[in-house]
Amino acid sequence: MLKSTQGESKFILIVIIAIVAAGIYAGFKWGYASWDAAGFREAVNTSLGYWNTHGAPSPENIRLEILQKAEEHNIELYDEDIEIELRDQFLTVNLYWETELAFPGGYTYYLPFSIERKVRIQ
């Protein structure tokens, strides 16, 4: 009877270790995506602060700078993910993107992010 209990204990321990390892793996994947998004947000906020005090460039130059910053932070951002509106001394920038988190077994999760900012242009 004792051997049967020891075998079950080992199996339960292996299952618990596997669950903890999967949680850590998913946490790292999620964490890296969130870290990249936070860095990208900071870079966009820095640019918006600069444009707030020094005036905004043309919408096309804004779009190019945002795409460059996204590439620097490992963010897959496309033209259709960027909305720029410049009117009445206000610049509105809306960015939407999803980061793909691929897991073993063919499971893929898309983590959504967005930046929505409106600043007054001097």
Side-chain angles (χ1 to χ4, degrees), residues 43-59 61-66 69 84 91 93 119-122:
V44 169
N45 286 337
T46 301
S47 293
L48 287 169
Y50 180 81
W51 297 330
N52 181 25
T53 57
H54 293 87
S58 70
N61 287 343
I62 293 172
R63 181 178 306 277
L64 289 174
E65 184 169 339
I66 289 172
K69 289 181 184 303
I84 299 171
L91 170 65
V93 176
V119 294
R120 184 180 178 108
I121 302 301
Q122 302 293 326

Side-chain angles (χ1 to χ4, degrees), residues 50-118:
Y50 180 81
W51 297 330
N52 181 25
T53 57
H54 293 87
S58 70
E60 186 55 38
N61 287 343
I62 293 172
R63 181 178 306 277
L64 289 174
E65 184 169 339
I66 289 172
L67 288 171
Q68 179 185 12
K69 289 181 184 303
E71 186 177 331
E72 290 171 2
H73 290 90
N74 302 318
I75 304 289
E76 287 189 32
L77 195 65
Y78 303 101
D79 279 337
E80 59 267 12
D81 299 331
I82 303 171
E83 295 176 11
I84 299 171
E85 187 176 323
L86 185 58
R87 69 154 86 144
D88 299 331
Q89 295 185 351
F90 283 97
L91 170 65
T92 304
V93 176
N94 296 319
L95 309 172
Y96 306 98
W97 75 95
E98 293 181 336
T99 300
E100 178 181 316
L101 303 178
F103 295 101
Y107 180 73
T108 302
Y109 179 76
Y110 294 93
L111 189 59
F113 293 100
S114 66
I115 299 174
E116 299 174 2
R117 290 287 312 268
K118 183 174 185 176

